[in-house]
Amino acid sequence: MTTTNVQRILVTAGAGGIGRSIVMAFASAGARVHACDIDANALNDLRAQAPSITTSVCDVADRAAVQRMVKEAADSMGGLDVLVNNAGIAGPTASVADMDPDAWEAVLRVNLTGTFAVTQAAIPHLKQSAAGSIVVMSSLAGRFGYPNRSPYATTKWGLIGFTKTLSRELGEFGIRVNAILPGAVDGARLRQVFEGRASVSGRSLAEEESAALANQSIKRFVDPADIAALVVFLASGAARSISGQMIPVDGDSQSAS
Ligand SMILES: NC(=O)c1ccc[n+]([C@@H]2O[C@H](COP(=O)([O-])OP(=O)(O)OC[C@H]3O[C@@H](n4cnc5c(N)ncnc54)[C@H](O)[C@@H]3O)[C@@H](O)[C@H]2O)c1
């Protein structure tokens, strides 16, 4: 980069949810953006909305696909300044005692190993940048225990260790690495989480919603644009001395459930 107006950004899982807000925030700020996602239709829709964005279909759990995707991103943008490791799946709602081991592994493959694979492929490109940075999407579940969501919480805590380690490894190359820990973000996924909780607790959806808000100082769920604004800030020169940090955006939530 270049701190001018041509940051080159790769966002994983950029076609929907929080990732899409991040993609649009960078694109509106004049950055070049490459989005990858497992959902080809959603990527088509994203390009229809913002034709300057380049895309790759990629499951971050597929190592060969990740190699291809990162190369496509760097080729199409002429390099890479910012990697946003946003891809992550929620996984099942079940106690550890009842957890399906295959479902456990599926969450680790996407959330942890997928993030590792994308980052490893991106590092050589980020080292070429004048101001490289990486943002890792952890979660409120990465700072509290989270009953009935063990694979998710385990991976989101794991990503904190990954972030702090990477920050130490990459600082000497001028690459900063920070983690964002979103709380309950408004959208389809949050509704699914409430449905999952309700199916375990026997409470209604409305009861699950008010229980979630009772847990926060700020009495509204997080807007995906709030997360995107922080990502844009962390990737900017204004954050040039910030690395190895874990920043919650969760309305001051007091637990993960
Ligand atoms: N939504 C929340 O309340 C919340 C809270 C805390 C943390 N997070 C984290 O934020 C990130 C984004 O969450 P979200 O709610 O926007 O997600 P989401 O479920 O809305 O999915 C966003 C995108 O991810 C894509 N995707 C799914 N699996 C993929 C894979 N294997 N490879 C590539 N793309 C894949 C989907 O196609 C979709 O377009 C995740 O890491 C999530 O854990 C979300």
Side-chain angles (χ1 to χ4, degrees):
M1 124 169 171
T2 68
T3 35
T4 57
N5 54 353
V6 286
Q7 270 185 312
R8 298 156 299 182
I9 321 284
L10 169 59
V11 182
T12 65
I18 297 168
R20 190 161 177 144
S21 290
I22 295 168
V23 165
M24 296 312 297
F26 276 114
S28 318
R32 299 197 61 177
V33 188
H34 191 92
C36 86
D37 203 285
I38 200 170
D39 183 339
N41 291 331
L43 285 173
N44 291 341
D45 183 70
L46 176 67
R47 281 197 313 275
Q49 185 188 357
S52 68
I53 292 164
T54 52
T55 62
S56 301
V57 178
C58 175
D59 174 355
V60 298
D62 177 341
R63 200 187 303 168
V66 164
Q67 295 291 333
R68 280 195 300 274
M69 178 276 288
V70 172
K71 185 176 184 317
E72 281 169 17
D75 285 351
S76 63
M77 297 189 290
L80 184 64
D81 301 301
V82 179
L83 167 63
V84 185
N85 275 312
N86 168 68
I89 56 174
T93 301
S95 68
V96 172
D98 295 330
M99 183 65 59
D100 171 2
D102 291 334
W104 165 277
E105 282 191 355
V107 178
L108 267 61
R109 269 198 300 276
V110 174
N111 295 10
L112 271 185
T113 309
T115 300
F116 159 77
V118 175
T119 303
Q120 189 179 53
I123 284 172
H125 302 289
L126 292 168
K127 283 182 174 173
Q128 301 298 315
S129 167
S133 79
I134 300 174
V135 175
V136 174
M137 207 57 75
S138 177
S139 167
L140 183 59
R143 67 189 185 101
F144 293 109
Y146 198 176
N148 301 309
R149 296 287 301 284
S150 59
Y152 187 71
T154 300
T155 58
K156 294 301 183 177
W157 278 83
L159 289 172
I160 300 301
F162 187 64
T163 299
K164 296 201 79 77
T165 300
L166 264 182
S167 175
R168 304 265 324 252
E169 289 182 2
L170 297 178
E172 66 180 291
F173 303 101
I175 301 170
R176 298 177 297 100
V177 190
N178 292 289
I180 297 180
L181 291 73
V185 177
D186 228 348
R189 180 169 171 150
L190 186 62
R191 282 191 292 281
Q192 277 169 20
V193 169
F194 289 149
E195 279 163 18
R197 283 185 197 169
S199 72
V200 170
S201 69
R203 296 193 286 195
S204 71
L205 269 183
E207 284 168 331
E208 290 296 345
E209 253 190 62
S210 26
L213 283 177
N215 181 45
Q216 305 184 187
S217 301
I218 308 293
K219 301 299 179 191
R220 61 175 157 68
F221 297 121
V222 176
D223 187 323
D226 302 341
I227 313 289
L230 179 59
V231 177
V232 170
F233 167 75
L234 285 174
S236 76
R240 67 184 186 164
S241 299
I242 302 175
S243 191
Q245 302 306 304
M246 301 150 295
I247 308 176
V249 182
D250 62 8
D252 188 25
S253 292
Q254 300 301 313
S255 78
S257 58

